[in-house]
Structure formats: structure tokens, C-alpha cells
Amino acid sequence: MGQQEKVATSLAGAVSEEISASLVAVDEELARRYPGDPGTRQPVHTVYVPGDLFEAGTLRSWGDQALAALDEHAPDAASFAKVLGIAGELAAPVYDRVRAKLEREPVEDLRVDFEDGYGPRPDAEEDAAAARAARLIAEAYGNGTAAPYMGIRMKCMEAAVRDRGIRTTDVFLTGLMEHGGLPDGLVLTLPKVTYPEQVSAFVRLMEAFEKAHGLPAGRLGFEIQIETSQSILAADGTAAVARMIDAAEGRATGLHYGTFDYSACVGVSAAYQASDHPAADHAKAVMQVAAAGTGVRVSDGSTNVLPIGSTAHVHEAWRLHYGLTRRALARAYYQGWDMHPGHLPTRYAAVYAFYREGLEQAAARLAAYVAKAGGDVMDEPATAKALSGFLLRGLDCGALDNEEVARLTGLTRADLDGFASPRRAALTVTAP
């Protein structure tokens, strides 16, 4: 033992107490505004189906069509991997998992669309479609055929369609209540938000519905769709999207980038409207920073190039979609939109390849961090959080298995939850 150091201080305890007292309001503000990740599963995609086309068998139909596309255009692991450029050692594991996913859970998040994909209809027709959507979704959750997340996208809060959007939301939510109540996986999407006041108005709608049915305050959350330039940069130069999150009063669950509306809003010509355009990158970067730490997730948009027709065209569309999805994942956009059943094979292929490629390195780094074993990377708690989050996302979507992650890390699912987020650790999450 070396010489014991003499410890001396110069400040009275009252100084620390005074400083802490002066920061109480800041501490409370940080806790309120930045609670961290909610700890729940985030779907890897959202599928949009027009309200008049949604059927009880829609989810299974999408899975069957996706499997048929594989059978016709890439009937085995080698041919699929060749199209997408997947490394040889990953070809079979990715292909097999994609097929299994399409058979077991082809859609992770479905939105019945009453906005652009549905368009203006007679009121009686939209009323009936909204009520029907509520009944079918309630039945799906009741009989075990639902996607993990399901809901609607209503019309926006702009004057021309506001009343219709409010009524559709009311009809849909009331229908759910009449068929057993609100499911845990319920998601609502508010499109074409331009001003924070529109978000505040939707909050008032949610509050009114909760009061009408005696629901707990805050039971209803919603996604905000970013489709206009004004939602990124307000007229006064501030980041409007950050103000929108605040206006949601804790109800915002996600920010969804609208590729084509936003691109058109800033003047991008049709041929160049894509999720990798610089205008799209800027918007999503602002969204990402605004949402960081708030518990609000960010979703990428979609591609409108459909994998249909000849095998050559399907392969070209698959390569495009696969590349855009991989690009988004590398930029921490873990969710996107899929507009056609033919997009499902490449959505899951990109996601599975991403997590399986990174599995061994992430697991080794996390295990070394836990064991304080060092290595060629000096990781910190924030990195351990990111590594755990990576593995958890892979488990949630089916890219990874609990057994292999436990073998490589020596950690349980509960251990990973603890590293990733205190809120995660408090939840019981079941991987698909």
C-alpha cells in the first residue's frame, strides 16, 4: 500500500447544495424532454394499404405474394444472394430466415390508409371503410393473425380535409372500443404536418376521445409524418420538427419521412425523388437530431420502383430497394416504408444481412466490455448501450436468435435490456 493521501476541500457543503437547488428545474426538464428510448420493439418497416383494399387476409396475402416472387425470380439462396451481392457465407442463413419470416410474420407494421392512398370519397363510404378497418383489426388481434403494430393514417389537419380526418379517426377508434378496446399495438399516423399547432390540435382530439371513453390520459399516441419543408425549417428559422415533438406533449411515437411529398415540396423533379437525395438526407438528419433522446423513433420513406414484371426488372428493383434499406440502416434509420409485397424479400434480406454481418463483432465488443478485457477498441458505456441496442434490434426482427447471442456474449436478454435502456429493462419483451 502506498502512502495515504490527505484529502482537503475548500468549499462548504452549502455550495454544492445551492448549485443543485439552482438546477432542479433543469433536471426536471431533462427528464421530461429526454426520457430515452421507450424500450419497446421498433418495426423494421411500415406497410400502407388503402382503406378500400384492406381485407382480413391482407397480411397473409402480402406474405404469399412475396414468397411467390422469390419462387419465380430467386428460387434458392445462391440466386438471391447473387442478385443482391450478399456474401456467400450469409446467403443461406439470410435466405432461409427471409422465407421463414414471410411464412410466419410477413408484415411487422400495417397502416390502413385514408389519406393519399385512399383519396376523397363520399362521407358514407369513408365512414363505412373506417368502421370496417376497426372491426378487421380488432378481429385480427383477437384471433392472433394481427401484425405486431396496426392502425390507420387519417387525413391531415389542413382546413380542406380536417373535419374528414377527425371523423375518420373518431369512427375508427370508436369501432375499436366497440370491438373489445384499443389493442396494445395500435398506431395512428398524422400526415402532412406543417405547423406545431396542428400537432397540438391532434393532441386535443386524443384527449377528447380518452375522456369520452374513460381511458387513461396519454393512452393514445401518434406518429408525425414529415412531408413539407416547413416541418423541417419554420419561417422564423427554427427547427419546426423539434417544436412538433414538444407540441405532442409526450404522445409522439415516431417521425416518418415522406419521400415524394417532401421532395416535391422542395422542387426535386420526379426522376430524382428518392430517399437518398441530398434533400432527403438533410431532412432526415434534422429529424434524427430533433428526436434524439426523446423516445420518438425516426422512419425512412419508401421507393416507388416496384419489383414487378420481368425477372430482369424485378432484380433491378430489388437491388435498388436492398441498397436503400442498407444505406438507411447504416445511418440509424431502422424503419422504412414498403409499398408492395415484392419489397418484403429485400426489406428482410437487407435487415438480416445487416445484423448478421455485425453480430460477431458487436457480441465480442460487448463481451469484452463486460469482462473489462480491453481489445483494440476502448469502449465506453454509451458504446455498450449501442452494442446492446444493435443486438436487441436483431433479435426483435428475427435476424438473430437468443441462443447464439447468449453464446457469443454470455449475456441474457434481460442483461442486454439493462445495458440498452433502464426503460427496456423494466419491460418484458418477447422476440418473434
Side-chain angles (χ1 to χ4, degrees):
M1 297 292 290
Q3 180 179 349
Q4 187 170 354
E5 295 293 337
K6 177 182 177 182
V7 177
T9 62
S10 302
L11 303 177
V15 174
S16 178
E17 294 172 3
E18 181 181 341
I19 290 173
S20 293
S22 72
L23 291 174
V24 166
V26 171
D27 294 339
E28 292 175 350
E29 183 80 348
L30 282 170
R32 182 183 71 83
R33 289 184 181 273
Y34 303 104
D37 188 86
T40 54
R41 173 183 177 183
Q42 181 179 10
V44 301
H45 69 170
T46 301
V47 163
Y48 281 78
V49 176
D52 57 327
L53 299 182
F54 177 57
E55 304 280 354
T58 292
L59 297 176
R60 187 61 265 153
S61 174
W62 273 59
D64 290 344
Q65 290 179 68
L67 286 166
L70 280 177
D71 290 340
E72 180 176 358
H73 302 293
D76 53 49
S79 59
F80 194 50
K82 182 178 180 181
V83 171
L84 302 179
I86 297 173
E89 66 274 12
L90 287 178
V94 167
Y95 189 77
D96 292 346
R97 285 173 186 268
V98 168
R99 291 198 69 99
K101 179 75 167 180
L102 295 174
E103 291 167 356
R104 181 187 73 251
E105 186 184 78
V107 175
E108 292 197 356
D109 183 28
L110 181 136
R111 210 70 71 249
V112 183
D113 191 19
F114 289 95
E115 203 231 355
D116 284 348
Y118 185 74
R121 307 287 180 99
D123 284 339
E125 182 177 341
E126 185 160 340
D127 282 351
R132 180 168 165 273
R135 175 177 58 80
L136 293 176
I137 288 175
E139 290 174 355
Y141 277 105
N143 62 29
T145 62
Y149 299 95
M150 300 182 76
I152 66 167
R153 177 171 72 170
M154 67 291 297
K155 291 177 171 64
C156 69
M157 286 285 114
E158 293 179 356
V161 294
R162 183 184 304 137
D163 289 345
R164 183 63 258 181
I166 290 172
R167 182 172 174 84
T168 297
T169 304
D170 186 11
V171 170
F172 174 71
L173 293 176
T174 301
L176 288 178
M177 295 299 296
E178 291 179 346
H179 289 91
L182 305 181
D184 290 339
L186 174 65
V187 187
L188 304 174
T189 304
L190 178 65
K192 292 185 175 59
V193 180
T194 305
Y195 283 82
E197 289 81 1
Q198 294 168 327
V199 175
S200 296
F202 202 71
V203 169
R204 302 289 85 79
L205 178 62
M206 300 293 96
E207 289 175 339
F209 190 87
E210 289 166 351
K211 290 177 181 177
H213 289 273
L215 296 170
R219 170 63 181 87
L220 289 165
F222 57 93
E223 302 167 333
I224 300 169
Q225 201 158 8
I226 304 301
E227 301 177 272
T228 65
S229 62
Q230 296 92 340
S231 61
I232 293 297
L233 189 68
D236 62 1
T238 60
V241 65
R243 294 167 55 203
M244 290 174 183
I245 293 173
D246 191 49
E249 300 178 22
R251 294 177 185 265
T253 59
L255 301 174
H256 282 234
Y257 176 68
T259 304
F260 304 104
D261 282 283
Y262 188 91
S263 298
C265 183
V266 297
V268 178
S269 60
Y272 298 96
Q273 292 177 359
S275 61
D276 59 351
H277 190 279
D281 285 341
H282 172 259
K284 287 180 287 188
V286 175
M287 292 162 58
Q288 189 175 51
V289 173
T294 65
V296 178
R297 269 83 177 259
V298 175
S299 174
D300 199 1
S302 63
T303 175
N304 60 357
V305 179
L306 304 184
I308 57 177
S310 69
T311 294
H313 179 76
V314 169
H315 286 180
E316 182 180 359
W318 272 354
R319 281 189 289 269
L320 173 65
H321 186 242
Y322 179 87
L324 291 173
T325 303
R326 285 298 304 259
R327 183 180 189 273
L329 289 167
R331 286 158 174 76
Y333 309 129
Y334 298 112
Q335 186 175 354
W337 295 3
D338 288 326
M339 310 303 289
H340 187 273
H343 286 141
L344 299 185
T346 38
R347 169 66 61 183
Y348 292 123
V351 170
Y352 290 177
F354 176 76
Y355 288 111
R356 296 206 66 79
E357 285 173 8
L359 168 60
E360 291 193 5
Q361 183 186 58
R365 287 178 66 179
L366 186 57
Y369 174 85
V370 173
K372 307 298 183 187
D376 60 353
V377 178
M378 184 66 72
D379 286 327
E380 297 184 355
T383 307
K385 177 179 179 179
L387 292 168
S388 297
F390 175 89
L391 296 173
L392 286 165
R393 290 180 186 278
L395 289 169
D396 283 343
C397 70
L400 311 177
D401 298 326
N402 282 304
E403 296 76 13
E404 64 181 341
V405 172
R407 174 174 52 81
L408 292 169
T409 63
L411 301 173
T412 65
R413 173 75 190 229
D415 294 329
L416 295 176
D417 286 333
F419 279 114
S421 166
R423 297 172 75 185
R424 264 191 180 271
L427 297 173
T428 301
V429 183
T430 302

